[in-house]
Amino acid sequence: MKISDDSYHLTNFQIQGIDEAQLWERYTVEQGFVSTFQLEILAGRTFDHQIQSDSNAFILNERAVAVLGLQPEEIIGRTITDMSLENTGKVVGIVIDFHFRSLHHEI
């Protein structure tokens, strides 16, 4: 599983149906990330290499969904735009919160 040095970014996201842009951490990962790290899918699904649009898809953690005041099922299928990359895609899944960095960092 390749995770490059430039895989982490703090960026603004615009979410369909949410007025305020969200400043979130973004990790660019390959399609096997969820299974490799044994992350639990709370809603939706993981990336699927057979679905071409998944190259621009998003998987959020449950904390991100809670910050928006939504239930996991309510955000699946919504469009998100990464304002720094001007990349737009759909939310395909929600994973249970996990620590990607040190346990000293808040999720």
Side-chain angles (χ1 to χ4, degrees):
M1 174 61 50
K2 177 183 170 191
I3 301 176
S4 64
D5 292 337
D6 64 345
S7 65
Y8 161 79
H9 298 277
L10 191 60
T11 190
N12 281 303
F13 291 90
Q14 187 63 53
I15 297 101
Q16 175 187 9
I18 305 294
D19 293 331
E20 253 182 65
Q22 304 296 309
L23 183 62
W24 287 340
E25 296 177 3
R26 172 181 51 85
Y27 294 93
T28 303
V29 300
E30 293 179 354
Q31 292 181 346
F33 180 81
V34 172
S35 60
T36 299
F37 286 91
Q38 300 177 353
L39 303 179
E40 186 178 341
I41 298 285
L42 185 63
R45 60 177 175 80
T46 189
F47 300 117
D48 184 338
H49 70 279
Q50 294 181 343
I51 301 174
Q52 185 176 4
S53 61
D54 272 11
S55 64
N56 290 326
F58 293 89
I59 293 178
L60 303 179
N61 66 8
E62 59 185 327
R63 167 126 183 175
V65 177
V67 165
L68 297 173
L70 299 172
Q71 295 298 312
E73 300 79 17
E74 294 177 297
I75 198 161
I76 299 296
R78 288 196 192 198
T79 301
I80 293 186
T81 300
D82 177 334
M83 304 303 280
S84 67
L85 296 176
E86 298 180 2
N87 175 45
T88 299
K90 300 247 184 221
V91 177
V92 297
I94 309 300
V95 294
I96 300 250
D97 287 341
F98 67 99
H99 286 277
F100 187 79
R101 297 190 300 167
S102 163
L103 296 178
H104 298 284
H105 288 90
E106 188 176 329
I107 295 177

